Amino acid sequence: MTAPPINDRRELFGWYIYDWANSAFYTTVITVFMGPYLTEVAKAAADAEGYVHPFGIKMLAGSFFPYVVSLSVFCQMLFLPLLGAISDYSNLKKQMMALFAYTGSFAAMGLYFLEGDRYLLGGVLFLIANFSIGASIVFYNAFLNDIASLDRRDTVSSIGYAWGYLGGGLLLAANLVLFSKADALGISQAHAVRISLASAGVWWGVFTLVPLATLKRRRAIKSLPANQGYLTAGLKQLGHMLGGLRRYPQTLLFLLAYLLYNDGIQTVIALASQFGKEELGLELSTLTATVLIVQFVALFGALIFNFIAKVTNTKSAIIISLVIWVGTIVYAYALLKTARDFLIMGAIIGIVLGGSQALSRSLYSRMIPPGQEAEFFSIYEVSDKGTSWLAPLLFGLAYSLTHSYRIAILSVASFLILGLALLIFVNVGKGIQEATAHQDTESSPQSREASP
């Protein structure tokens, strides 16, 4: 059978819609409601000194959510590369994406039962959901090279992020209305938050049906060796890939840069609401309005930075966005005092958010050896949207040591600065040549034929 056509509009549309589907979890759960609400639930369970003791581990209630975020992504770091390696030996990429998408969406729906002092329930459900969304996006991102030609990847990646910002923003807007009208509807604000958290899971699950109906299955990229199961072959392939990274020094350098600067970006996104509530005393309605600004501005920001990339180049556009990111964090530390300041910061973040994320994904896709997309994107996903672990860990430690959210947020800037410094030295053209020259001999054009 012949391979499915590339740049197919129907398939591209289905791919975009998965960003629309899962972004509701990032905006409603991670960025707005989960941090402040889970922190309040943890405080309700805390002892007289403000500490909780999950599984016997003593920690400040205010550090519980950052630590859960960090733990969920640490689990991704351990298991996602293995899943990516296994997927290259099967034609189940779409099915594996669906499995983790629905595991995550049901876990998010379960957050409706987060109330009282059930902070452990919230932590476990969030861990499952955040791990699952990261796993599903490994396989989602791996479709990019299958469905878009090299010259269109910046545009396709940017449009995907734009759809995501729009979808996540629309559900968040609806949840903001629900939260603001809670009293009139005869429910408490806490109940409105629980409904909002669960709605993200419902939205995610319903709209995932679209990519499942439109994305086409490909044949396995590699043939399963004789007398080996998927797990054994996946472990061996993972070891082979990690050992062979030295053959792609520019790809490795970009990956290290990305894991650093995007870890910082995702930490700002995930913990900005907690910072606004605890440090500035902002109302949840103000925090939600700010995130709405970020979402809808980011929709245009992704397209604006796609244009900047065309005028300059992709790497230069990313560098510009990172310089603005560093300035934004310094602004948050030194000058952020009022709700108006917080809204201004949200608008600035919105402009650069889309550019830094969408262009990083498309640039990385060009430096992946053909036939190893899922494997390489599994490492990339360790610090993709909403997933980071070192920076929130540093944030939590900084807050525990200083009891200052300003110092905690400033500590995150170190990740952006280090990532930016490494990115400057990445030679993109050489990286593309390295990936092409050393591509796996098993990755032939025939291996990408459509599955019956």
Side-chain angles (χ1 to χ4, degrees), residues 82-105:
L82 176 59
L83 290 174
I86 292 173
S87 75
D88 287 338
Y89 285 103
S90 73
N91 63 348
L92 303 177
K93 186 161 56 182
K94 185 167 75 170
Q95 288 87 334
M96 293 177 78
M97 185 182 86
L99 171 65
F100 286 106
Y102 283 105
T103 299
S105 69

Side-chain angles (χ1 to χ4, degrees), residues 342-364:
F342 200 77
L343 291 170
I344 292 173
M345 184 184 73
I348 297 171
I349 287 176
I351 294 173
V352 296
L353 178 61
S356 59
Q357 292 185 325
L359 295 178
S360 293
R361 178 171 64 183
S362 62
L363 181 61
Y364 182 65

Side-chain angles (χ1 to χ4, degrees), residues 170-227:
L170 288 175
L171 180 64
L172 184 58
N175 286 328
L176 177 59
V177 172
L178 172 66
F179 182 80
S180 62
K181 302 291 185 182
D183 291 339
L185 295 172
I187 61 176
S188 66
Q189 289 189 333
H191 193 184
V193 169
R194 290 162 49 213
I195 293 173
S196 298
L197 293 172
S199 73
V202 174
W203 179 284
W204 182 6
V206 169
F207 285 106
T208 293
L209 295 172
V210 177
L212 295 183
T214 55
L215 289 173
K216 298 179 178 65
R217 292 171 62 186
R218 268 73 180 175
R219 287 195 185 276
I221 294 174
K222 298 180 176 69
S223 299
L224 192 67
N227 302 319

Side-chain angles (χ1 to χ4, degrees), residues 115 131 181 209 224 263 290 321 337 389 398 409 426 429 441:
E115 59 182 334
F131 174 85
K181 302 291 185 182
L209 295 172
L224 192 67
D263 210 316
T290 303
S321 73
K337 292 180 171 54
W389 72 288
I409 199 72
V426 174
T441 56

Side-chain angles (χ1 to χ4, degrees), residues 29-30 33-40 42-43 52 54 59-75 119 122-123 126-127 130 263 266-276 278 386-401 404-405 408-409 411-412:
V29 178
I30 294 180
F33 291 108
M34 192 65 187
Y37 184 65
L38 184 56
T39 300
E40 288 299 316
K43 286 181 178 179
V52 290
M59 66 180 67
L60 283 172
S63 295
F64 180 69
F65 178 63
Y67 286 156
V68 171
V69 173
S70 182
L71 177 60
S72 69
V73 181
F74 180 72
C75 292
Y119 75 100
F126 178 81
L127 189 152
N130 204 35
D263 210 316
Q266 297 310 320
T267 301
V268 173
I269 295 170
L271 302 177
S273 291
Q274 185 176 354
F275 175 86
E278 300 295 330
T387 55
S388 52
W389 72 288
L390 282 175
L393 179 61
L394 179 60
F395 183 100
L397 290 173
Y399 175 73
S400 294
L401 293 173
S404 169
Y405 279 102
I409 199 72
S411 69
V412 175

Side-chain angles (χ1 to χ4, degrees), residues 15 144 152-161 358-359 361-362:
W15 190 80
L144 179 58
R152 292 200 59 192
R153 284 186 203 155
D154 278 354
T155 299
V156 169
S157 184
S158 297
I159 293 175
Y161 270 99
L359 295 178
R361 178 171 64 183
S362 62

